[in-house]
Amino acid sequence: MKWLLVGHRGVGKTKLLARLKVYIKNQKLSFLDLDSEIEIKYKKKLTDLFVEWGEKKFREVENGIFRQIIKDNPELILSVGAGFNPSALELSSIP
């Protein structure tokens, strides 16, 4: 099963994700934050990447990383920002 936590910056998605990790004792379940995964992969802050790439390229990269995370994690709770647009993806093609 896959769950998305969607919300604007500062509403508490990351805190909720951390609390869920503590309360849900499922060894197969991954708890990830899309923004953090992007920052880890590119070793830069999101704001810097957004300025460097512009919104169009940033969203393309974001969508690609989202797809990879979904593909690689059969059991998942993923936090995504409000700017993320899952309707732009063909979610039916994601396992």
Side-chain angles (χ1 to χ4, degrees), residues 77-91:
I77 297 177
L78 177 64
S79 171
V80 299
F84 178 73
N85 183 5
S87 66
L89 302 171
E90 291 182 35
L91 294 178

Side-chain angles (χ1 to χ4, degrees), residues 59-81:
R59 297 299 176 201
E60 289 170 359
V61 169
E62 181 182 52
N63 287 344
I65 292 174
F66 172 83
R67 285 181 174 278
Q68 193 63 49
I69 289 170
I70 294 294
K71 180 181 172 193
D72 293 345
N73 296 277
E75 301 281 331
L76 172 69
I77 297 177
L78 177 64
S79 171
V80 299

Side-chain angles (χ1 to χ4, degrees), residues 2-6 17 30-35 37 65-66 69-70 76-80 84:
K2 294 172 174 62
W3 293 80
L4 291 180
L5 300 176
V6 182
L17 200 61
S30 298
F31 298 85
L32 299 172
D33 178 82
L34 182 59
D35 291 348
E37 295 300 310
I65 292 174
F66 172 83
I69 289 170
I70 294 294
L76 172 69
I77 297 177
L78 177 64
S79 171
V80 299
F84 178 73

Side-chain angles (χ1 to χ4, degrees), residues 3-81:
W3 293 80
L4 291 180
L5 300 176
V6 182
H8 291 283
R9 184 176 19 176
V11 298
K13 297 180 308 290
T14 303
K15 285 183 182 179
L16 177 59
L17 200 61
R19 287 186 181 179
L20 288 172
K21 279 184 189 182
V22 172
Y23 292 109
I24 298 175
K25 306 293 186 201
N26 180 340
Q27 299 296 323
K28 296 178 183 177
L29 187 60
S30 298
F31 298 85
L32 299 172
D33 178 82
L34 182 59
D35 291 348
S36 295
E37 295 300 310
I38 294 168
E39 288 181 341
I40 290 166
K41 180 171 181 163
Y42 291 97
K43 298 176 178 58
K44 292 184 179 181
K45 294 284 184 189
L46 285 183
T47 52
D48 296 335
L49 292 171
F50 204 87
V51 168
E52 181 180 328
W53 294 339
E55 183 173 7
K56 185 175 188 239
K57 181 175 179 184
F58 178 84
R59 297 299 176 201
E60 289 170 359
V61 169
E62 181 182 52
N63 287 344
I65 292 174
F66 172 83
R67 285 181 174 278
Q68 193 63 49
I69 289 170
I70 294 294
K71 180 181 172 193
D72 293 345
N73 296 277
E75 301 281 331
L76 172 69
I77 297 177
L78 177 64
S79 171
V80 299

